[in-house]
């Protein structure tokens, strides 16, 4: 999986280098037809686009107002609600509420916002948790894998992270008109399901070594992407 992740990053680098009009490289993966694949196959795309898009722009606007958002809000909420899944020296995985679909999130702890500048050990640790979340999800569940990286045309720090969204529900008219989305799986139920699978996989050696559930320390400020901002406050 680390070779697969490295190949993906190399492709993104090639696209950005060869086309001066690319402002951001979008990376995503669809698995099974309900997740948008034209037929049941592993469908990864790496696309150069000439705009950030509204999703990336909203995240960057939020981080300008609250640089420590991912540490102070996302991680603290996960700790308070007991939604931590796995952790190693370089990354952290959790159930992340607030999305249209039940979502697993994997965050890099690296101080680097740009994956090109990360050490191999950092990328391998991140890859280990992405692989583990897919292994725990299983091959029968349709899902999207979305990558979030800081656009190279922006200086605003943002942690490298991946969201794995389970396509178990189909938004329809009610959701479209009201923008109220009904999640069919409680975050705590998703946590229990994934943790059970992770423990089984770890016991059999099918995933890399990592802390699981209550073993995760998730120390304050463990996502180092905003370390410059924290140093400025000091």
């Amino acid at each position: 999986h680390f070779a697969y992740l490295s190949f993906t990053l190399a492709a993104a680098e090639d696209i950005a280098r060869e086309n001066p009009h690319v402002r951001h490289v979008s990376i995503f993966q669809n698995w099974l037809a309900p997740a948008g694949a034209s037929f049941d196959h592993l469908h990864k795309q790496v696309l150069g686009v000439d705009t950030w898009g509204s999703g990336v722009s909203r995240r960057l606007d939020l981080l300008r107002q609250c640089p420590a958002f991912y540490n102070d809000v996302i991680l603290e909420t996960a700790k308070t609600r007991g939604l931590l899944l796995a952790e190693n020296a370089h990354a952290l995985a959790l159930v992340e509420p607030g999305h249209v679909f039940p979502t697993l999130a994997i965050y890099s702890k690296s101080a680097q916002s740009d994956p090109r500048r990360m050490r191999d050990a950092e990328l391998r640790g991140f890859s280990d948790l992405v692989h583990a979340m897919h292994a725990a999800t299983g091959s029968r569940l349709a899902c999207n894998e979305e990558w979030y990286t800081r656009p190279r045309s922006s200086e605003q720090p943002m942690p490298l992270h991946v969201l794995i969204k389970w396509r178990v529900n189909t938004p329809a008219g009610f959701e479209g008109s009201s923008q109220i989305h009904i999640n069919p799986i409680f975050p705590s139920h998703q946590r229990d399901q994934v943790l059970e699978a992770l423990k089984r996989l770890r016991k059999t050696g099918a995933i890399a070594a990592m802390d699981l559930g209550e073993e995760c320390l998730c120390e304050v400020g463990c996502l180092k992407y905003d370390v410059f901002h924290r140093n400025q406050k000091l």
Side-chain angles (χ1 to χ4, degrees):
H1 190 271
F2 174 59
Y4 185 41
L5 180 139
S6 299
F7 177 77
T8 301
L9 290 172
E13 175 64 16
D14 287 345
I15 289 172
R17 182 178 61 251
E18 293 175 5
N19 189 336
H21 300 290
V22 168
R23 296 192 68 209
H24 186 50
V25 178
S26 175
I27 302 172
F28 59 92
Q29 177 175 288
N30 305 329
W31 171 242
L32 302 182
S38 54
F39 60 96
D40 289 345
H41 70 303
L42 194 62
H43 177 80
K44 194 175 210 81
Q45 291 199 7
V46 184
L47 303 176
V49 290
D50 60 0
T51 181
W52 291 350
S54 59
V56 172
S57 296
R58 283 197 303 269
R59 280 175 171 78
L60 293 174
D61 287 342
L62 175 64
L63 286 167
R64 289 187 192 97
Q65 299 173 44
C66 180
F69 174 79
Y70 288 101
N71 277 308
D72 293 352
V73 178
I74 298 294
L75 294 198
E76 286 304 311
T77 298
K79 288 171 67 175
T80 301
R81 299 183 61 178
L83 299 178
L84 299 178
L85 293 171
E87 184 176 16
N88 60 27
H90 302 293
L92 184 73
L94 50 96
V95 172
E96 187 168 292
H99 299 279
V100 173
F101 304 102
T103 298
L104 308 178
I106 305 94
Y107 287 92
S108 169
K109 294 181 181 179
S110 175
Q112 295 290 347
S113 284
D114 189 342
R116 296 175 302 165
R117 299 178 180 176
M118 291 183 185
R119 295 177 288 111
D120 279 354
E122 292 176 318
L123 289 173
R124 185 178 293 275
F126 181 74
S127 171
D128 285 344
L129 290 198
V130 175
H131 169 262
M133 295 306 110
H134 277 299
T137 295
S139 61
R140 295 185 179 181
L141 201 158
C143 63
N144 299 114
E145 178 187 287
E146 302 172 356
W147 289 41
Y148 293 87
T149 59
R150 176 185 62 80
R152 62 186 60 204
S153 52
S154 170
E155 296 300 320
Q156 183 62 48
M158 180 172 70
L160 166 65
H161 58 290
V162 161
L163 302 182
I164 299 174
K165 297 182 176 179
W166 292 4
R167 296 296 295 270
V168 295
N169 51 311
T170 303
F174 169 74
E175 290 86 351
S177 62
S178 68
Q179 289 301 297
I180 298 172
H181 294 275
I182 300 172
N183 193 324
I185 302 178
F186 282 116
S188 57
H189 293 170
Q190 189 180 22
R191 173 205 60 206
D192 293 344
Q193 180 179 335
V194 173
L195 270 180
E196 181 181 357
L198 287 171
K199 290 175 181 177
R200 183 173 64 252
L201 291 163
R202 185 175 67 173
K203 186 175 182 179
T204 60
I207 58 175
M210 61 190 68
D211 293 329
L212 300 178
E214 293 182 354
E215 300 168 358
C216 301
L217 295 178
C218 190
E219 296 178 343
V220 174
C222 66
L223 304 185
K224 301 297 193 297
Y225 75 97
D226 68 332
V227 67
F228 175 77
H229 170 75
R230 281 183 274 153
N231 288 340
Q232 290 293 95
K233 289 174 66 177
L234 294 175

